[in-house]
Amino acid sequence: MTSAAALLAAQATPAEQARSVLARAGSLTVTTNGLRHDLVGLHSVDARGQVRLRLPADGLPAAQAACAPRGALASLVEFTDIAPSPYATG
């Protein structure tokens, strides 16, 4: 019989779940200064769980980051977890 403590230890925390979803996601949307930017295949999650964005050098988000005070650009990152489904779509 499994103890309650062992079950709790085996469950992922919300932060761990979010990191797992981000690592699998093929794209995400970043909003900076009120403008939305779709980034397809331009992010990764490192071993520490930090999200790394590879912004195109000639794109607006990179220009905004370069001009941001102290290199800090406030942004909102959105992603969608598409859960597997046992039903085929037709």
Side-chain angles (χ1 to χ4, degrees):
M1 195 173 236
T2 306
S3 71
L7 284 175
L8 287 175
Q11 293 176 344
T13 66
E16 291 168 333
Q17 292 173 1
R19 282 192 299 269
S20 294
V21 170
L22 271 168
R24 288 190 317 263
S27 65
L28 50 81
T29 300
V30 175
T31 302
T32 57
N33 297 330
L35 301 172
R36 294 173 56 93
H37 312 280
D38 293 323
L39 303 179
V40 179
L42 297 175
H43 77 282
S44 61
V45 179
D46 68 16
R48 295 185 334 195
Q50 295 179 333
V51 177
R52 303 287 183 185
L53 301 177
R54 294 180 302 280
L55 301 175
D58 60 347
L60 184 57
Q64 290 174 330
C67 294
R70 295 181 303 280
L73 177 63
S75 60
L76 170 69
V77 177
E78 299 175 271
F79 60 95
T80 301
D81 180 15
I82 301 176
S85 172
Y87 304 106
T89 59

